[in-house]
Amino acid sequence: MTDVDKVSKMVHDVLENQDLAVLATHSSGQPYTNLVAFLATKDLKGIIFATRCTTRKYMNIVKDARVALLIDTRSNEEADFHKAMAVTVTGKAQEVGGEEREKLAGLYLEKFPHLIEFISSSHCGLFKVVVSKYTFVSGFQNVVELEVIK
Amino acid sequence: MNPVIPLDHIHEEHREFVGGKALAMAAMAQEGILVPDAVCVTVLAYQEYVATTGLAERIFMELNRKDFTDMRWEEMWDASLRIRNMFLNASIPLLLEKNLRLALEPIAKKGPVVVRSSSLEEDSSKVSFAGLHESYVNVKGIASILDHIKLVWASLWSDAALLYRQELSLSPEKSAMAVIVQDLIQGDKSGVAFGQNPHDESQAVIEAVYGLNQGLVDGTIEPDRWIIDRATGRIISHTPALRKEALFALDEGVRLQSLPFEKQMVPPLSNTDLKRVYELVRRLEFLFGAPQDVEWTQKGPFFYALQTRPITTLPGAPSEDKRAWYLSLRRSFRNLVNLRKKIENEHIPAMVSEANQLATQNLKILPDNELAEKIKKRSHLYQKWVDIYWADFIPLAHGVRLFGQVYNDIVHPSDPYEFMDLLGTTEMIGMKRNSMLEQMASLIRNDHILAKSLKSDIPQIINEEFEQRITEFLHEFGYIFCHTSECDEGRRGVIRMAMKLAERKAAERRIPARGKKSNNLRDSFFSLLKNSQRTYAAELLDLAKASYRLRDDDNIYLGKIEEQLSVALGEGKRRIENRGIESGEELTISEVIRALENPHVKIKRRKEKKAKENHFSITMRQLRGQPASPGVVRGKARVIAHPSDVFSFKAEEILVCDAIDPNMTLIVPLSSGIVERRGGMLIHGAIIAREYGIPCVTGIPEATEYIQTGDSIIVDGDFGIVTIANKAAK
């Protein structure tokens, strides 16, 4: 499990098969987490999610763009201890606009067609997390990091 | 369904609950063939036990520690030992225990029993495996029967089963084990009969020994053997055995006893008996519709069938399939005692004398072609000893395993490797060598003038005792740093190592200290044994200690031969370099020989691989291996990729390497932790780390690739995890 291609494929598979991620932001050092519906870009360099501008996470990101996301394959059964895989994403979230928003919103809605009204509403921000690192955990304790080369 | 079914209630529809062996026993009983009275503990009991105790998931986690394709056989043995210990330490849930007691009490009260495996996998497999799962003979009383049922359950995950996991479709989700508890028939004679000779379809084979047939099955006792013509029932041949001993039930378990002279002279079976065994085999073949492999015993006038199974093909063994060889490593106590004698009395003296003889040859004066000849000879000699190493030295390591199993069965320790603390008080050569170095270091510490002189460019030794110690050291252990073409390094290397040790403060010096703990463990182990078990246990412990010590020493002896090959090879490379080729270091043995034989030969340089472009860079954060020596430590990594890297080793660094070889044993006392690519508890690194009480993790194949010298790493020897906390700045 040491090959870049192999690990990025495994990360890709986890991200593709999950809909929800735990998003971590903070306010004055106090950590705060939420569930968000997410989409990973094909090149794995970005994670897309949406939130209304009235939410606490929106305000937290405005103050500090550094975020982390946790995406995992747990099924809430005992077998999770050997079977479950988890991906922690760290990076910076930026709200997207204009053409890029239109393009990413289209991709996002392909995965979550039922969120059309939510995405189209005027106070919904679409965010792209520019990924700096993936931390991939498998087999309970094997941990490998994939860093995006800039 | 009741978790226990009597033999006469078992029918075809119970197959998936009782396994093939129990089903065959029931079919024989129902057909009127004499079999010992028995009951079957169905797979439902196994399933309830592993689910309730959480063992199901723990087995999963143990087997998922590492990709199976990356696992060495020794690691499978370790995994199997850990799983076995989980079974030993997990009690049977109260309700299940109550039900089992109720159902097994009648058979337990009748007398001693045999507890046999009846696995579903073994039955469904198209290949047969000897000794895949365990059976226990002469078990007495309900408590002991329950303990042995757990051991048979655990043997579903034996190292042999793990090796053949694919053929068996072994999986923690589906696999389960049924257990047969049957009356022990204390037969006068016993044996195995093959309805059809696996090597000749026209023949049948009958083997027989006096006493119980367990000795025959595990290879301790040689049987008399008859070949019979299947068409006529005529005896084709009889190969008598040297009938010295036989296995009998004694107190609990079985023991070897000498045979009285009159029995030694007479084959266990008369022609009439032979005919009856053959009739039994033919009858079973008719009953099951295929030739059978039958275990039988004779008590008085009665012949009992103990178990039967169809004769299947032996596991296919293409030459690259080493699994049959791995299984051959599981040897009997008797076999190992003989192996020890061979190693101590023949192999080691021969290795020492051959290495010493080579050391007297002066290679520098030889012309190139003669040097090439010497390299060839030394390379063949080294290969010969490597072969012997695999054939005899490695199997002896099983002595440690045999003792470990007995210790764990008696003591039920929480640490499955606690038994190793009893083995380490014998002096190993590697430890002796380190202690001689420590004495030299002590002289340097106490003699400032000597210390100063050694630091100068041309060190002058002005301390007689130091000079004497160096000479003794080199005489006893050779020029162990001579893996480079510059062989003066040998003496300098030893001095440098002693200087490094001298720099350490008293508090930092590691000395092996475990005598008291070891004695306490030994005393409590022996206090748990019955009188009748003590002699065997003491002999087994003695064997295990020798096996443990030799497991490290053999490496050093083999190193002496390898050193002589390296010296010759180094001389060859030096001469080739002098011809203007940049570096001879990377040349293979055959390239060196060719270049020495023919000065005009051209050597192709190896091309370097081009790195592939990628969008990501990969870093290992946490790597999982085997916990080989307990403790947690954080420190700077030092990767030893080349023998000369040991000179750069600094005190308190963490040693990261492929496998600890004789050179590296010297730096072990300087290190604060050890990480090895090779896995297993009985590899040199693990043994020496435990001796010094240094945390050690083995079996991380990526270790030398992803850990770099200078990285800050954490070695967790309790759980077998290595964390790369901070990468060194590039």
Side-chain angles (χ1 to χ4, degrees), chain B residues 179-223:
Chain B
V179 181
I180 301 166
V181 180
Q182 69 183 181
D183 281 350
L184 169 66
I185 307 295
Q186 305 208 29
D188 313 316
K189 303 151 186 183
S190 314
V192 177
F194 296 90
Q196 191 172 54
N197 186 346
H199 306 294
D200 186 340
E201 286 182 3
S202 70
Q203 301 171 343
V205 183
I206 294 175
E207 292 178 338
V209 294
Y210 282 106
L212 302 174
N213 66 351
Q214 208 191 16
L216 187 165
V217 175
D218 72 14
T220 307
I221 301 175
E222 187 198 348

Side-chain angles (χ1 to χ4, degrees), chain B residues 384-616:
Chain B
K384 176 189 96 176
W385 281 108
V386 168
D387 292 344
I388 292 174
Y389 182 80
W390 280 79
D392 289 345
F393 285 88
I394 291 182
L396 186 65
H398 191 60
V400 174
R401 301 197 170 101
L402 211 56
F403 175 72
Q405 192 150 316
V406 170
Y407 183 88
N408 287 355
D409 287 356
I410 300 287
V411 180
H412 295 203
S414 56
D415 170 11
Y417 295 100
E418 184 178 276
F419 71 88
M420 285 176 74
D421 288 337
L422 268 79
L423 308 179
T425 46
T426 46
E427 185 158 278
M428 294 188 292
I429 291 188
M431 304 294 282
K432 185 180 173 195
R433 199 171 61 178
N434 285 357
S435 112
M436 279 177 87
L437 264 181
E438 180 54 40
Q439 286 166 0
M440 286 186 245
S442 162
L443 289 173
I444 301 173
R445 266 184 227 115
N446 296 327
D447 183 342
H448 296 295
I449 303 170
L450 172 68
K452 206 175 159 193
S453 148
L454 291 175
K455 275 182 194 157
S456 65
D457 291 342
I458 309 160
Q460 291 211 334
I461 298 174
I462 43 167
N463 179 316
E464 252 180 59
E465 195 183 344
F466 189 81
E467 176 65 53
Q468 198 186 331
R469 297 248 185 232
I470 289 258
T471 312
E472 274 172 24
F473 185 94
L474 292 172
H475 176 72
E476 189 143 356
F477 301 112
Y479 288 76
I480 50 174
F481 295 107
C482 275
H483 286 266
T484 59
S485 49
E486 180 53 74
C487 223
D488 292 342
E489 191 57 79
R491 191 181 175 81
R492 279 220 301 268
V494 174
I495 295 175
R496 262 151 66 181
M497 196 51 72
M499 287 166 72
K500 250 186 228 290
L501 278 172
E503 284 165 16
R504 304 191 80 187
K505 292 178 206 130
E508 288 173 354
R509 272 171 241 143
R510 270 190 191 83
I511 42 162
R514 50 169 56 208
K516 201 174 168 196
K517 188 184 170 200
S518 157
N519 286 342
N520 290 342
L521 287 178
R522 190 182 187 284
D523 292 347
S524 67
F525 168 59
F526 276 93
S527 72
L528 291 169
L529 293 170
K530 292 181 186 143
N531 278 337
S532 59
Q533 294 173 313
R534 288 201 180 125
T535 313
Y536 172 67
E539 283 172 5
L540 185 57
L541 176 58
D542 183 53
L543 172 76
K545 280 184 166 189
S547 154
Y548 180 79
R549 187 184 68 234
L550 286 166
R551 190 75 187 96
D552 195 65
D553 292 356
D554 58 11
N555 202 21
I556 288 176
Y557 290 121
L558 189 63
K560 276 175 180 267
I561 307 269
E562 190 185 10
E563 171 203 327
Q564 293 305 323
L565 171 62
S566 297
V567 168
L569 204 57
E571 173 64 17
K573 285 177 178 176
R574 190 183 59 77
R575 293 186 193 183
I576 296 166
E577 277 173 18
N578 286 347
R579 291 182 197 162
I581 294 174
E582 260 179 40
S583 164
E585 274 303 311
E586 285 178 18
L587 298 181
T588 63
I589 293 182
S590 56
E591 282 172 337
V592 172
I593 293 171
R594 267 195 302 130
L596 287 173
E597 286 173 340
N598 178 0
H600 306 295
V601 78
K602 282 189 181 162
I603 296 164
K604 280 186 192 162
R605 309 307 307 162
R606 276 172 274 282
K607 283 180 191 164
E608 282 189 13
K609 279 185 193 164
K610 218 177 174 185
K612 197 179 138 194
E613 239 184 272
N614 226 318
H615 299 297
F616 298 99

Side-chain angles (χ1 to χ4, degrees), chain B residues 286-467:
Chain B
F286 181 73
L287 176 63
F288 293 106
Q292 298 288 298
D293 163 359
V294 188
E295 280 185 34
W296 57 269
T297 196
Q298 180 189 7
K299 189 172 171 61
F302 302 109
F303 279 85
Y304 291 82
L306 300 176
Q307 68 168 50
T308 185
R309 58 182 172 196
I311 293 173
T312 43
T313 51
L314 294 166
S319 56
E320 69 273 18
D321 186 350
K322 271 199 153 174
R323 296 182 298 182
W325 181 79
Y326 292 140
L327 286 185
S328 76
L329 295 179
R330 307 201 303 170
R331 302 199 178 187
S332 68
F333 173 70
R334 177 59 58 92
N335 183 303
L336 290 168
V337 168
N338 291 334
L339 200 54
R340 174 186 175 183
K341 278 188 200 150
K342 190 175 174 189
I343 288 175
E344 288 183 334
N345 302 337
E346 296 172 28
H347 288 337
I348 290 178
M351 278 170 115
V352 172
S353 119
E354 285 182 26
N356 287 346
Q357 198 267 326
L358 294 180
T360 59
Q361 296 173 355
N362 186 356
L363 302 171
K364 293 199 174 183
I365 56 165
L366 297 178
D368 283 2
N369 58 343
E370 281 181 35
L371 177 64
E373 203 49 43
K374 290 279 180 218
I375 295 175
K376 262 190 228 167
K377 274 195 182 152
R378 288 180 182 207
S379 168
H380 289 153
L381 186 73
Y382 175 62
Q383 193 50 51
K384 176 189 96 176
W385 281 108
V386 168
D387 292 344
I388 292 174
Y389 182 80
W390 280 79
D392 289 345
F393 285 88
I394 291 182
L396 186 65
H398 191 60
V400 174
R401 301 197 170 101
L402 211 56
F403 175 72
Q405 192 150 316
V406 170
Y407 183 88
N408 287 355
D409 287 356
I410 300 287
V411 180
H412 295 203
S414 56
D415 170 11
Y417 295 100
E418 184 178 276
F419 71 88
M420 285 176 74
D421 288 337
L422 268 79
L423 308 179
T425 46
T426 46
E427 185 158 278
M428 294 188 292
I429 291 188
M431 304 294 282
K432 185 180 173 195
R433 199 171 61 178
N434 285 357
S435 112
M436 279 177 87
L437 264 181
E438 180 54 40
Q439 286 166 0
M440 286 186 245
S442 162
L443 289 173
I444 301 173
R445 266 184 227 115
N446 296 327
D447 183 342
H448 296 295
I449 303 170
L450 172 68
K452 206 175 159 193
S453 148
L454 291 175
K455 275 182 194 157
S456 65
D457 291 342
I458 309 160
Q460 291 211 334
I461 298 174
I462 43 167
N463 179 316
E464 252 180 59
E465 195 183 344
F466 189 81
E467 176 65 53

Side-chain angles (χ1 to χ4, degrees), chain A residues 9-58:
Chain A
K9 164 94 173 61
M10 288 167 95
V11 168
H12 172 268
D13 290 351
V14 171
L15 299 186
E16 190 164 82
N17 292 313
Q18 300 298 319
D19 290 341
L20 297 178
V22 175
L23 169 75
T25 58
H26 79 97
S27 169
S28 311
Q30 172 61 54
Y32 179 69
T33 55
N34 299 92
L35 282 178
V36 291
F38 77 96
L39 166 79
T41 59
K42 258 192 181 156
D43 61 5
L44 292 185
K45 289 185 175 177
I47 303 283
I48 315 300
F49 70 90
T51 183
R52 291 183 63 76
C53 62
T54 53
T55 61
R56 195 181 302 191
K57 57 183 165 296
Y58 187 99

